[in-house]
Amino acid sequence: MPTREPEFILPQPALAGLPVVWYGGVHADPNRVGELQRALYNSYPTVTVINVAQALETVRAVVLQITYVIQFLAAFSIFAGIVILASSIAGTRYRRIREVVVLKTLGATRARIATVFSIEFAVLGLVAGIVGILFANIIARVLLTRLTVSYHFQWFWTLGALLGTAALTVATGWVASHRILGKNRWKSFAKSD
């Protein structure tokens, strides 16, 4: 927790003869700040002029660059996650074909099998979303607390991210395994076994 220096209010006679520092603020047209700085320096050479707007613009540019880097890393992570998910689903393709063969042998319809696969993909997406949201909120809370910024849990965005992850997982799962339910695929596989 940052400590604050004590503040004292003293009467004018107690400060007589001591060096004094005066602070002031001026709101100026951004296009004419240079002229104002030159005029103040020519008239009052000991006055220090700090262009706060320029300092804030520099900070804003740095924060914007950090935001772009974070967005790039987030997009890269999402893309890598989609590739990993598709490859893991494609890697279990033969297991899924066997599942389709067994389920169709037991009398399951194509719609029932599609429902089973969709539920499986949705559960995978929900678990991944819960883990990601949990870690993201823990990291955000720690970082914001260290920066002395208040942390607020965002229910709307959290629910949206969770549902989006589940929907993306279902879509990716079906893109990787939509052929498994194709006509007569399971029959040819059953004959080859």
Side-chain angles (χ1 to χ4, degrees), residues 11-85:
Q12 189 74 23
L15 299 174
L18 295 174
V20 178
V21 177
W22 296 90
Y23 295 98
V26 176
H27 182 73
D29 181 12
N31 297 328
R32 305 192 68 193
V33 170
E35 295 176 29
L36 177 64
Q37 286 177 323
R38 282 190 295 278
L40 283 172
Y41 180 74
N42 289 336
S43 300
Y44 307 99
T46 59
V47 171
T48 303
V49 178
I50 300 172
N51 187 354
V52 177
Q54 186 178 11
L56 289 177
E57 180 61 30
T58 303
V59 170
R60 189 190 73 79
V62 169
V63 168
L64 196 61
Q65 290 175 353
I66 292 171
T67 304
Y68 288 151
V69 169
I70 291 172
Q71 287 175 348
F72 172 76
L73 291 175
F76 182 75
S77 298
I78 290 171
F79 177 73
I82 290 171
V83 169
I84 290 170
L85 178 65

Side-chain angles (χ1 to χ4, degrees), residues 32-188:
R32 305 192 68 193
V33 170
E35 295 176 29
L36 177 64
Q37 286 177 323
R38 282 190 295 278
L40 283 172
Y41 180 74
N42 289 336
S43 300
Y44 307 99
T46 59
V47 171
T48 303
V49 178
I50 300 172
N51 187 354
V52 177
Q54 186 178 11
L56 289 177
E57 180 61 30
T58 303
V59 170
R60 189 190 73 79
V62 169
V63 168
L64 196 61
Q65 290 175 353
I66 292 171
T67 304
Y68 288 151
V69 169
I70 291 172
Q71 287 175 348
F72 172 76
L73 291 175
F76 182 75
S77 298
I78 290 171
F79 177 73
I82 290 171
V83 169
I84 290 170
L85 178 65
S87 65
S88 68
I89 291 172
T92 60
R93 184 168 180 246
Y94 288 108
R95 184 179 62 85
R96 292 193 189 284
I97 292 173
R98 288 182 192 273
E99 288 175 2
V100 169
V101 168
V102 170
L103 290 173
K104 285 198 174 191
T105 303
L106 294 174
T109 62
R110 187 178 297 180
R112 179 64 56 127
I113 295 171
T115 303
V116 169
F117 281 2
S118 295
I119 291 171
E120 180 184 353
F121 297 145
V123 168
L124 283 173
L126 288 174
V127 169
I130 288 170
V131 170
I133 287 169
L134 179 71
F135 283 120
N137 279 295
I138 289 171
I139 291 169
R141 184 180 182 117
V142 168
L143 287 177
L144 290 176
T145 304
R146 293 201 182 267
L147 295 172
T148 64
V149 177
S150 62
Y151 168 79
H152 301 289
F153 187 78
Q154 302 290 329
W155 287 103
F156 177 75
W157 290 108
T158 300
L159 186 61
L162 191 61
L163 294 176
T165 304
L168 189 63
T169 305
V170 170
T172 307
W174 276 111
V175 165
S177 61
H178 74 282
R179 290 176 162 183
I180 293 173
L181 290 177
K183 292 183 180 179
N184 300 325
R185 295 275 303 193
W186 65 276
K187 289 179 184 175
S188 62

